[in-house]
Amino acid sequence: MATRHVVSIPVKSSAGRYRAVFDRGGLARLGRHAGAVLPSERVVLVSDAHVAALYAEAALGALGRARLRAEMVVIPAGERAKTLETARRLYDQFADMGVDRATGIIALGGGVVGDVAGFVAATYLRGLPLIHVPTTTLAQADAAIGGKTAVDLPAGKNLVGAFHAPRLVLADTATLATLPDRHMRAGLAEVAKVAFTLEPELLRLLEGAFELDTALQRAAATKARVVSRDEREAGMRMVLNYGHTVGHALEALGGYRRWLHGEAVAFGIRAAARLATLTGAGTAAWEERQNAVLDRLGFARAFPPVSIAKLFSYMSLDKKARAGAPVFVLTARVGVVRVRRSLSLGTVTRALASLGARP
Ligand code: NAD
């Protein structure tokens, strides 16, 4: 019999330690995993309509086998459901169900389910025990780890949120078999981000014929290392925003419909790489190396012909902006990261215009 390959990544948070467990086929063992970290046998499974149709039965079956009493609530799929309205509906459902402080919340789905269910778990009754069961490349490699939860406002992404560490992250990479190609690829932008900012070995992996599970685990382990040292983004965690200043602005500009988060981040990385070249923080060769990886992963190279002025106004609203000045994370090479808060509109315009945006 083949041995089961389980990778268990330790994560430190102010609320205690937890583990991000990569276990292919592990959804069938969700009950056992959850039972070990939850305070009571009562759980609410939160999922979105797509994921629920595919995996709710398996998840509920696994919880039942471990004698956990599970109820389920379903939210609409997609970024447009990452709102206060969705959170509000969940609060009402939790109240109807009589959810109490010992009820465990299990977020089964991608980053959207993780962020909304996590936000509700952070705020309902001032905090409920939470487990993430991420089912997208993006959520397994990145979003499920680190305790950030949020919802979007029309004014911008993730503007309302809370830190709420999970008790466990259980990533079953077998669930990725049903993930549409476009989403599969989008998550790899976050893997590339980790490679470009922190992990030379992961970068070399992405430049070769890489194995998906390994790349996701490597990125997750790096994220775990970073958030264990800097949970609240006082310093090092800032690096994980590479590509996100322009990325978040693009997402908002596209009404959270036009580009997936990862697609927007890939454009954001290309923009950051160009800004580094233009300002002398990086080199043209380094920019091209990053572009070549993003090309290989299947991300479009030509920047969308959006208005730079509009994009800049979204960037100024970003929660990391100070006094309207967006913050840019630039890289000189892997591991050499600079945070710049003073890039002028002129410099940003030159960079984005040279990539294809409209001055
Ligand atoms: P998503 O949650 O919208 O999932 C993508 C789509 O795939 C959805 O339609 C979903 O229903 C479907 N899906 C999910 N798993 C599936 C599966 N196994 N099989 C078939 N379909 C499946 O998107 P995402 O890319 O996972 O997450 C994006 C969100 O994550 C963004 O809102 C972003 O801001 C957030 N995020 C959060 C953090 C954090 O630290 N909290 C970090 C990065 C990103």
Side-chain angles (χ1 to χ4, degrees), residues 208-273:
F210 68 92
E211 207 232 335
L212 181 65
D213 285 26
T214 310
L216 297 176
Q217 285 160 21
R218 292 294 285 267
T222 304
K223 174 145 188 201
R225 191 159 47 80
V226 171
V227 301
S228 293
R229 284 170 55 181
D230 177 23
E231 185 184 24
R232 301 265 160 166
E233 208 165 88
M236 192 182 176
R237 188 167 180 170
M238 193 68 190
V239 167
L240 299 176
N241 289 307
Y242 189 50
H244 282 60
T245 300
V246 169
H248 280 165
L250 254 185
E251 275 188 279
L253 193 72
Y256 302 112
R257 233 191 293 221
R258 189 139 160 227
W259 297 284
L260 297 176
H261 178 71
E263 292 168 344
V265 167
F267 283 126
I269 292 174
R270 293 193 196 272

Side-chain angles (χ1 to χ4, degrees), residues 48-52 54-55 76-80 82 108-115 132 134-140 142-150 152 157-158 172 174-180 183 186-187 190 193 223 237 244 248 251 260-262:
D48 75 24
H50 294 159
V51 179
L54 292 162
Y55 299 110
E79 184 72 31
R80 285 167 56 76
K82 213 178 104 170
L108 172 71
V112 167
V113 170
D115 276 7
H132 283 299
T135 62
T136 62
T137 46
L138 184 134
Q140 294 188 351
D142 185 338
I145 297 165
K148 277 193 187 177
T149 74
D152 302 331
K157 275 232 9 142
N158 298 335
D172 177 354
T175 60
L176 300 176
T178 51
L179 188 66
H183 288 286
E190 302 282 13
K193 169 197 80 180
K223 174 145 188 201
R237 188 167 180 170
H244 282 60
H248 280 165
E251 275 188 279
L260 297 176
H261 178 71

Side-chain angles (χ1 to χ4, degrees), residues 261-330:
H261 178 71
E263 292 168 344
V265 167
F267 283 126
I269 292 174
R270 293 193 196 272
R274 174 57 54 89
L275 272 167
T277 309
L278 268 183
T279 57
T283 62
W286 170 233
E287 178 186 355
E288 185 44 37
R289 190 168 171 200
Q290 295 173 82
N291 278 326
V293 168
L294 294 172
D295 293 348
R296 263 191 114 229
L297 296 176
F299 292 103
R301 191 178 270 230
F303 204 86
V306 293
S307 148
I308 296 171
K310 272 197 196 141
L311 208 57
F312 199 83
S313 64
Y314 276 109
M315 288 185 233
S316 312
L317 249 183
D318 193 275
K319 57 189 174 323
K320 273 134 206 146
R322 295 281 180 277
V327 50
F328 288 94
V329 179
L330 305 182

